[in-house]
């Protein structure tokens, strides 16, 4: 479980880092667009080669910022996809291990109640309710109940759009 926990934690940190990069790139693009709009407005008020050169530079910077934003969004989506796949794989593995654990415990308890039945013929009535409950154990039903009580699994991660 520690291995799974470390793996998921590392992917979550990577995902958070990508999200931060996306937000930073978004702000940079907004600043570059604002600068480009300002330069374009200056060109309308006064025509000069210097202003035209500044506009070309501002357009280039704006395009670079847009490309950087696209790259960051792609990296975020890749990290999110990898994290999601790892979460699903880990959840299924942990679920399988939990079902095995419950079955092992149930088998041991059934064995115990059987031995109690064999050794203590007079007090069988005290073991019958326990025996009945052991035979009604259903890990899938318990898991479904737990998910409903804790409201997990309702929100799915989605890819980021620009």
């Amino acid at each position: 479980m520690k291995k799974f926990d470390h793996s998921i934690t590392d992917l979550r940190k990577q995902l958070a880092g990508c999200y931060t990069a996306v937000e930073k790139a978004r702000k940079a693009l907004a600043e570059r667009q604002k600068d480009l709009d300002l330069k374009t407005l200056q060109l309308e008020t006064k025509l000069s080669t210097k202003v035209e050169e500044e506009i070309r530079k501002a357009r280039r910077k704006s395009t670079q910022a847009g490309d950087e934003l696209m790259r960051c969004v792609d990296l975020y989506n890749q990290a999110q996809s990898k994290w999601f796949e790892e979460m699903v794989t880990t959840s299924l593995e942990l679920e399988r291990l939990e079902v095995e654990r419950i079955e092992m415990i149930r088998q041991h308890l059934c064995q115990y109640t059987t031995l109690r039945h064999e050794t203590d013929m007079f007090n069988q009535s005290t073991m019958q309710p326990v025996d009945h409950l052991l035979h009604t154990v259903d890990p899938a039903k318990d898991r479904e109940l737990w998910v409903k009580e804790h409201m997990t699994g309702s929100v799915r991660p989605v890819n980021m759009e620009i």
Side-chain angles (χ1 to χ4, degrees):
M1 286 194 52
K2 285 184 181 181
K3 178 184 147 196
F4 290 139
D5 187 42
H6 288 301
S7 175
I8 295 297
T9 301
D10 290 345
L11 288 172
R12 191 71 188 141
K13 286 178 185 175
Q14 182 182 0
L15 189 62
C18 288
Y19 183 80
T20 303
V22 166
E23 290 305 311
K24 185 177 177 181
R26 224 180 270 250
K27 288 178 184 175
L29 178 60
E31 288 175 16
R32 299 292 182 234
Q33 286 295 119
K34 192 189 242 183
D35 188 42
L36 179 60
D37 291 343
L38 188 67
K39 302 281 188 211
T40 306
L41 191 60
Q42 285 178 353
L43 179 65
E44 290 173 3
T45 57
K46 56 181 179 181
L47 292 170
S48 75
T49 11
K50 183 180 178 185
V51 174
E52 287 177 10
E53 182 63 33
E54 287 179 6
I55 288 178
R56 276 196 290 278
K57 285 181 185 178
R59 277 195 186 122
R60 188 177 70 243
K61 286 181 181 180
S62 180
T63 303
Q64 288 172 344
D67 292 345
E68 178 65 14
L69 177 61
M70 294 289 286
R71 188 185 71 75
C72 289
V73 166
D74 286 343
L75 287 174
Y76 174 85
N77 287 338
Q78 289 171 8
Q80 183 272 336
S81 178
K82 187 175 180 181
W83 171 79
F84 182 74
E85 287 173 15
E86 191 67 25
M87 282 295 291
V88 169
T89 304
T90 300
S91 296
L92 291 173
E93 180 63 18
L94 291 175
E95 189 174 301
R96 184 188 66 75
L97 291 171
E98 183 66 8
V99 167
E100 284 179 8
R101 185 182 75 81
I102 290 170
E103 185 57 31
M104 182 196 66
I105 291 170
R106 193 185 68 75
Q107 284 176 358
H108 282 295
L109 289 173
C110 283
Q111 201 172 28
Y112 172 75
T113 58
T114 303
L115 288 172
R116 288 289 298 186
H117 280 297
E118 292 171 0
T119 59
D120 194 4
M121 297 298 255
F122 299 109
N123 290 328
Q124 284 188 10
S125 62
T126 58
M127 293 308 284
Q128 283 175 344
V130 173
D131 205 24
H132 174 70
L133 288 172
L134 285 173
H135 290 292
T136 60
V137 168
D138 184 8
K141 191 175 176 183
D142 291 341
R143 184 177 55 251
E144 186 178 319
L145 181 63
W146 191 89
V147 167
K148 284 180 182 175
E149 284 177 2
H150 293 86
M151 291 184 255
T152 61
S154 59
V155 179
R156 300 278 186 235
V158 292
N159 283 347
M160 187 177 283
E161 305 269 331
I162 298 176

